[in-house]
Amino acid sequence: MCKAGALLAGLLLAGVAGPALAGKANDTLIYASDSEPENLSPYHNNLREGVILARNVWDTLLYRDPATGQHQPMLATAWTWVDPVTLDLTLRDGVTFHNGDPLTPEDVAFTFNYVLTPEAKIVTKGNVDWMKSTEVTGPNSVRIHLKAPFPAALEYLSGPTPILPAAYFKKVGLDGFSKAPVGTGPYRIVSVESGRSVKMVRNDKYWPGSPIGKAKIGKLEFRVIPDADSRMAELMTGGVDWIWRVPTDQAEQLKNDPTLTVVSAETMRVGYLQFDVQGRAQENSPIKDVRVRQAIAHAIDRKAMVDNLARGGARVMNAMCFIEQFGCTSEGVPTYAYDPAKARALLKEAGYPNGFEIDLSAYRERDYAEAVIGYLRAVGIRAKLNYLRYAAFRDALRAGKTSIGYQTWGSFSINDVSAFTGIYFRGGEEDLARDSTVIADLQAGDTSTDPATRKAKYRQALTRISAEAYALPMFSYPSNYAFSADLTFTAQTDEVPRFYAASWKK
């Protein structure tokens, strides 16, 4: 029995009480995860934990209903396309930031103009670089100028583009803002303890009429617990009320605890191998050869990894996107069946009959990365695992210091292929291939106002990415959630735990 299994079995046999009344009695929902954002500013991290905090602490101009997919008014009450590159928005009256400052058009213009500057050094530029500038047009209105037509603009304005308080941000700077963030959302941050926790309380002055409503639980706390066994033990002994990414074996065991609820749901997150196509990480890198990359693709049994490791509704992905995003398709995209013999033949053809040594970096699901290493070893590729914290992992990939990266991406929960394929193959910091044909196709897809043209261009890009094996999509990620049976919580495919909508059972 594995360490985690033994821990759970011991706790269950001992009859340890679960969270029962711990969180409910204090009206405090404590949730735990393994990683912390490098910076709490929503534009200066792209870790999922940061996305979760952003959705509970900040508001956006628009809101996308997860049930219908329709865009609704949020901080903006109305919007009008003046032309394909000009968007006018009317802002809501009566909204205040957590520090008491009123929301004004100047806050919107400052936010969007600031994040477009090189000095801002935001982490995911693709979320905002479709904008050219934003101007104040009246006491409650703004105009966003786009660089080119971008049909997905409303989707982005409902997701990774929260509004910052201009006066406060200018006063404290990025460092000060990260230590004491201010938003307009249903929860306000009252304490930040680096590496340990972020404490929040309900924003009782939250503006009426919000499509998400006032938070139902009074206090919310995010706690960083890197070790999976410790997270499960904390859940079972009442130290925390909610955890996720629970391995399926342990999730099944947790179902035996009557004080806990366990649910599983597929998410938009996709795991994939990203290759150092230009060979910057290693002199005479074998990864520069397309046959080597194709050999790696054939060497890995992705279906077996889904069946034995991921489970929970995961699906093998053959295109570099989440299959249900607009513009994502596997139609006509080359696929790589598990075929070790073909992998060895390709390696021999490329001049590596005895394989080679290579580095492989990862930052989460170590067992998944180790499974990949095992498959590679079986065809002669001796990969050494470099397990890093996410920020270090991301920076190493961008700097060309990693030959193979086991990466995952949740698209900031944006239901458009531009938020996935465009981030990694449109010539930005994350693009390790820099293929001019792919870049042109993605740019054409992003900017066309004709849905059919968009889909055709994306299909061309996805086909070339796969044919050249610039990356290997693995599978969609399920998530096993385990939480107090006293808690009412609904899991969503977009991988955004909406804690403001959670409540205690009566």
Side-chain angles (χ1 to χ4, degrees):
M1 182 181 294
C2 69
K3 178 182 177 184
L7 170 70
L8 286 169
L11 289 171
L12 289 169
L13 287 172
V16 175
L21 300 176
K24 183 176 181 181
N26 298 321
D27 196 22
T28 302
L29 169 55
I30 299 176
Y31 70 99
S33 192
D34 59 351
S35 304
E36 66 167 329
E38 62 205 275
N39 189 307
L40 292 193
S41 164
Y43 289 99
H44 294 86
N45 77 81
N46 57 5
L47 197 65
R48 178 54 46 166
E49 285 76 5
V51 174
I52 296 168
L53 285 168
R55 294 298 182 96
N56 285 278
V57 175
W58 284 272
D59 289 325
T60 48
L61 294 176
L62 277 61
Y63 173 74
R64 178 168 61 83
D65 188 322
T68 66
Q70 298 299 308
H71 295 110
Q72 301 176 6
M74 202 171 196
L75 294 181
T77 58
W79 53 91
T80 303
W81 285 103
V82 178
D83 56 50
V85 293
T86 310
L87 178 64
D88 281 353
L89 300 103
T90 302
L91 301 186
R92 187 178 300 275
D93 289 326
V95 178
T96 59
F97 286 97
H98 298 149
N99 65 348
D101 290 348
L103 173 74
T104 68
E106 285 75 16
D107 296 305
V108 178
F110 164 77
T111 299
F112 293 160
N113 290 328
Y114 163 71
V115 297
L116 290 173
T117 64
E119 294 77 19
K121 296 181 180 179
I122 69 168
V123 172
T124 305
K125 294 180 181 178
N127 287 339
V128 299
D129 67 1
W130 50 274
M131 291 186 277
K132 181 180 180 181
S133 65
T134 300
E135 63 175 314
V136 175
T137 54
N140 67 338
S141 60
V142 296
R143 171 170 287 182
I144 300 176
H145 298 277
L146 282 64
K147 293 178 179 177
F150 188 59
L154 299 185
E155 181 71 9
Y156 282 74
L157 291 177
S158 67
T161 52
I163 305 305
L164 307 175
Y168 177 73
F169 193 96
K170 291 176 183 177
K171 178 181 178 181
V172 301
L174 176 58
D175 185 58
F177 190 79
S178 181
K179 294 174 181 176
V182 169
T184 62
Y187 282 101
R188 60 184 178 88
I189 293 175
V190 295
S191 172
V192 177
E193 191 173 356
S194 181
R196 295 178 61 88
S197 69
V198 178
K199 295 181 179 179
M200 294 155 272
V201 299
R202 180 172 52 215
N203 178 12
D204 287 327
K205 296 181 180 180
Y206 191 50
W207 51 276
S210 167
I212 66 176
K214 184 177 289 188
K216 298 176 175 63
I217 294 176
K219 297 178 183 179
L220 181 64
E221 180 178 343
F222 165 51
R223 191 171 294 173
V224 181
I225 305 178
D227 181 67
D229 292 349
S230 297
R231 287 196 302 277
M232 287 186 283
E234 285 285 331
L235 176 70
M236 297 185 70
T237 56
V240 302
D241 304 294
W242 184 100
I243 63 174
W244 68 340
R245 299 172 184 163
V246 181
T248 302
D249 289 343
Q250 283 71 60
E252 290 300 317
Q253 292 188 47
L254 286 175
K255 289 179 180 179
N256 295 320
D257 188 334
T259 67
L260 300 176
T261 299
V262 179
V263 297
S264 299
E266 184 188 31
T267 72
M268 292 176 64
R269 182 168 299 277
V270 175
Y272 55 96
L273 298 184
Q274 192 172 9
F275 300 123
D276 177 33
V277 177
Q278 298 179 352
R280 295 181 295 165
Q282 178 179 325
E283 188 175 357
N284 300 318
S285 173
I287 301 299
K288 293 175 66 176
D289 194 316
V290 63
R291 294 167 295 185
V292 170
R293 301 194 298 271
Q294 291 171 338
I296 290 173
H298 282 298
I300 300 169
D301 192 342
R302 295 175 290 163
K303 181 62 166 57
M305 290 184 68
V306 165
D307 293 342
N308 299 309
L309 289 176
R311 292 183 281 185
R315 292 178 285 174
V316 171
M317 295 285 143
N318 291 307
M320 274 298 293
C321 45
F322 178 62
I323 196 62
E324 293 178 8
Q325 288 176 309
F326 177 88
C328 184
T329 182
S330 57
E331 180 182 348
V333 174
T335 59
Y336 295 90
Y338 175 54
D339 190 340
K342 188 168 186 176
R344 284 188 286 268
L346 282 166
L347 289 174
K348 183 177 181 179
E349 182 182 330
Y352 302 98
N354 299 315
F356 53 83
E357 294 183 355
I358 201 76
D359 64 287
L360 184 151
S361 296
Y363 72 98
R364 56 179 285 179
E365 284 85 34
R366 188 180 188 122
D367 52 341
Y368 293 7
E370 289 174 343
V372 168
I373 287 173
Y375 284 122
L376 296 182
R377 187 180 300 115
V379 299
I381 300 174
R382 300 171 294 282
K384 180 180 179 181
L385 178 61
N386 187 20
Y387 197 76
L388 304 167
R389 293 175 69 90
Y390 176 70
F393 169 88
R394 182 198 63 217
D395 292 347
L397 275 176
R398 288 178 173 179
K401 296 179 180 179
T402 293
S403 297
I404 306 173
Y406 188 105
Q407 171 80 289
T408 76
W409 189 242
S411 299
F412 273 90
S413 302
I414 296 172
N415 197 32
D416 192 276
V417 77
S418 62
F420 195 129
T421 318
I423 296 297
Y424 290 93
F425 293 96
R426 206 180 57 200
E429 292 177 297
E430 316 289 351
D431 188 354
L432 305 187
R434 303 299 173 102
D435 184 314
S436 59
T437 300
V438 171
I439 292 171
D441 283 339
L442 290 176
Q443 289 177 335
D446 286 353
T447 57
S448 173
T449 57
D450 176 23
T453 299
R454 292 190 74 202
K455 290 180 179 179
K457 289 297 182 180
Y458 289 143
R459 183 168 58 249
Q460 290 175 199
L462 291 167
T463 298
R464 182 167 174 82
I465 290 167
S466 184
E468 294 295 323
Y470 290 143
L472 175 67
M474 301 286 283
F475 41 78
S476 62
Y477 268 50
S479 188
N480 292 315
Y481 304 83
F483 49 91
S484 165
D486 280 328
L487 184 67
T488 298
F489 169 80
T490 301
Q492 303 284 358
T493 305
D494 62 9
E495 203 184 10
V496 177
R498 292 167 170 80
F499 293 120
Y500 54 76
S503 62
W504 301 116
K505 294 178 180 177
K506 296 181 179 179

